[in-house]
Amino acid sequence: MKAQEKYEYWLAYAKEDIKTAEAMISTRRWIYVAFMCQQAVEKLIKGLYGLYFGFDSIPHTHNITRLANDLSDKLSLKIDSETFDFFDLLTRYYLNNRYPDYINDLYAQTQEGNSKEIYAKTREVFSWLLTLSR
């Protein structure tokens, strides 16, 4: 499979995650809105990383800030501090079952308003990231 085809594979799954986030809004499952937004952005950034630097070189991390920082360094790409702050926020929503207390804290903090804001900002960042593909 060629690099572009692999990228399209990552992109398709990222788009599915965006659709799932939207579905979670309609069911009022706020933590999963944020989680699916995290997944969408992580997959799109990993797809871009693979497209430019090879799919075997994608770092094994869920830390979107680290992935974006690597990508921006390697592409000499400017990412503003507001976007990096958003990547930090999204990274917090990677749900790892090994830390149930952390997840319970996130549940308590995640409300309708901030989940909808995360979704809207994810759509904005997602559109920008799409412009970076070749």
Side-chain angles (χ1 to χ4, degrees), residues 18 25 33 37-38 40-41 79-90 113-129:
I18 288 278
I25 289 172
V33 172
C37 287
Q38 183 278 334
V41 172
I79 300 177
D80 62 48
S81 62
E82 180 184 326
T83 302
F84 272 118
D85 289 346
F86 181 66
F87 291 154
D88 285 339
L89 174 67
L90 278 183
N114 62 340
S115 292
K116 287 181 174 179
E117 287 173 19
I118 288 169
Y119 175 75
K121 183 68 175 176
T122 297
R123 300 275 320 188
E124 179 185 316
V125 167
F126 199 90
S127 293
W128 169 70
L129 288 169

Side-chain angles (χ1 to χ4, degrees), residues 15 40-41 45 53 56-57 65 67 77 85-87 116-117:
K15 286 180 176 180
V41 172
I45 289 176
F53 308 110
D56 291 337
S57 69
T65 304
L67 292 166
L77 176 67
D85 289 346
F86 181 66
F87 291 154
K116 287 181 174 179
E117 287 173 19

